[in-house]
């Protein structure tokens, strides 16, 4: 088992959250609140009404949990890839390099596996990011006083399963997204590295990480929109009865383009975030598992 990948994924994930959280807050607000008509209007309104802190609401829990979930993603990805490689080699008697479908299936497995860890933290993050908008700045006391209070309040008011609201959409977002993510990263590194070189140069790591993140979000944004809407639905009057109703209602009232709300912002945020994630991942892996 590749334990180095679990550790490296954890470090890379935490670093990525710190880099991308402000734009993630803007993205979530645009996807869930009709009052925001665009990226710059949302940034300006948030800064004017809440200051810099408005961009970092609910960040403490995601730093911890994304660190764990990213550890799961990278660890599961690497170990499934190893298993697929061994199965392919055993069945043929030859030592093949992993095929592109192996990277795809390994990424898919990692993305789905981390949902059990990610879902409760994600709903807390989304509600903390949106509560000032829902309640209004004149509210005497916010409903959620912090990430842990938010977590406990959701569990008390909506039951344990309330923490997994939107988990189906999250799995449908992260499975295909991470499958694309790791496949694109591998393909770019393979194409830009000299033949026979097992470790890509750092400029290749940064470019491949950034581009793979953008491609992953192109695949994942539609389910990201639905996931966010389902998660904030418990903060006020309920608008959706379930996953399919949320999709149908959103498209009926706002058109098909609603499924790609925040795509541009996701792509802009994805490049530096995933460039940072893969850079830190490669640093830690190379420290813990030196090239032999």
């Amino acid at each position: 088992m590749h334990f180095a990948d679990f550790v490296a994924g954890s470090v890379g994930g935490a670093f990525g959250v710190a880099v991308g959280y402000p734009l993630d807050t803007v993205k979530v607000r645009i996807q869930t609140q009709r009052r925001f008509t665009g990226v710059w209007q949302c940034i300006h309104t948030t800064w004017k009404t809440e200051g810099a802190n408005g961009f970092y609401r609910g960040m403490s829990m995601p730093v911890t949990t994304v660190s764990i979930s990213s550890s799961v993603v990278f660890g599961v990805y690497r170990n499934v890839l190893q298993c697929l490689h061994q199965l392919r080699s055993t069945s043929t008697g030859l030592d093949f390099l992993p095929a592109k479908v192996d990277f795809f299936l390994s990424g898919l497995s990692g993305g789905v596996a981390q949902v059990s860890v990610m879902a409760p933290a994600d709903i807390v993050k989304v509600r903390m990011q949106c509560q000032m908008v829902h309640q209004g700045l004149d509210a005497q006391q916010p409903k959620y006083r912090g990430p842990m209070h938010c977590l406990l309040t959701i569990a008390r008011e909506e039951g344990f399963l309330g923490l997994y609201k939107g988990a189906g959409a999250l799995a449908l977002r992260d499975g295909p997204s991470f499958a694309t993510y790791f496949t694109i990263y591998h393909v770019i590194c393979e194409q830009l590295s000299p033949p026979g070189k097992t470790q890509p140069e750092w400029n290749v790591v940064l470019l491949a990480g950034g581009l793979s993140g953008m491609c992953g979000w192109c695949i994942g944004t539609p389910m990201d929109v639905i996931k966010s809407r389902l998660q904030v639905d418990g903060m006020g009057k309920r608008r959706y009865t379930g996953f399919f109703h949320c999709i149908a209602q959103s498209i009926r009232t706002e058109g098909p383009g609603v499924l790609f709300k925040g795509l541009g912002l996701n792509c802009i945020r994805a490049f530096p975030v995933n460039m940072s994630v893969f850079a830190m991942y490669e640093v830690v892996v190379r420290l813990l598992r030196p090239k032999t």
Side-chain angles (χ1 to χ4, degrees), residues 73 76-77 101-116 118 166-184 212 215-217 219-221 223-224 227:
V73 170
V76 170
Y77 161 76
V101 68
D102 295 338
F103 292 102
F104 186 88
L105 292 174
S106 300
L108 183 70
S109 301
V112 173
Q114 56 96 48
V115 170
S116 61
M118 188 67 179
L170 184 62
L172 289 172
R173 181 195 77 175
D174 286 351
S177 180
F178 276 110
T180 304
Y181 182 63
F182 284 111
T183 304
I184 295 296
S212 64
C215 292
W217 274 112
I219 300 297
T221 293
M223 284 300 103
D224 188 53
K227 182 266 310 174

Side-chain angles (χ1 to χ4, degrees), residues 206-263:
L206 296 176
L207 178 64
L211 291 177
S212 64
M214 293 175 71
C215 292
W217 274 112
C218 287
I219 300 297
T221 293
M223 284 300 103
D224 188 53
V225 173
I226 301 304
K227 182 266 310 174
S228 296
R229 293 189 170 205
L230 288 170
Q231 288 173 330
V232 300
D233 200 37
M235 296 181 71
K237 182 180 178 182
R238 294 191 182 277
R239 298 164 57 193
Y240 312 116
T241 58
F243 176 75
F244 292 106
H245 180 252
C246 180
I247 295 175
Q249 184 71 8
S250 297
I251 293 175
R252 184 164 56 247
T253 56
E254 300 174 61
V258 68
L259 296 178
F260 294 93
K261 218 169 190 180
L263 174 59

Side-chain angles (χ1 to χ4, degrees), residues 192 200-208:
L192 298 182
E201 298 292 338
W202 288 109
N203 60 334
V204 175
V205 169
L206 296 176
L207 178 64

Side-chain angles (χ1 to χ4, degrees), residues 29 41-55:
R29 292 186 173 190
Q41 187 251 346
C42 182
I43 292 173
H44 178 264
T45 302
T46 301
W47 179 269
K48 183 179 178 181
T49 56
E50 302 172 58
N53 288 339
F55 295 99

Side-chain angles (χ1 to χ4, degrees), residues 9 18 22 51 56 99 119 126 138 165 167 170 172-173 200 220 274:
Y56 291 93
V126 169
D138 296 331
K165 186 175 285 186
L170 184 62
L172 289 172
R173 181 195 77 175
N274 292 285

Side-chain angles (χ1 to χ4, degrees), residues 12-91:
F15 196 74
V17 171
V19 171
Y21 201 83
L23 286 180
D24 184 67
T25 297
V26 175
K27 180 263 297 183
V28 168
R29 292 186 173 190
I30 287 174
Q31 288 178 337
T32 59
Q33 312 299 321
R34 295 186 188 180
R35 59 177 285 192
F36 297 120
T37 57
V39 173
W40 292 112
Q41 187 251 346
C42 182
I43 292 173
H44 178 264
T45 302
T46 301
W47 179 269
K48 183 179 178 181
T49 56
E50 302 172 58
N53 288 339
F55 295 99
Y56 291 93
R57 292 192 183 279
M59 180 177 164
S60 58
M61 182 169 285
V63 167
T64 304
T65 52
V66 169
S67 178
I68 298 171
S69 66
S70 187
S71 171
V72 173
V73 170
F74 278 87
V76 170
Y77 161 76
R78 178 57 63 179
N79 284 283
V80 170
L81 186 64
Q82 176 76 5
C83 289
L84 292 174
H85 175 252
Q86 290 176 348
L87 286 172
R88 191 183 297 276
S89 299
T90 301
S91 63

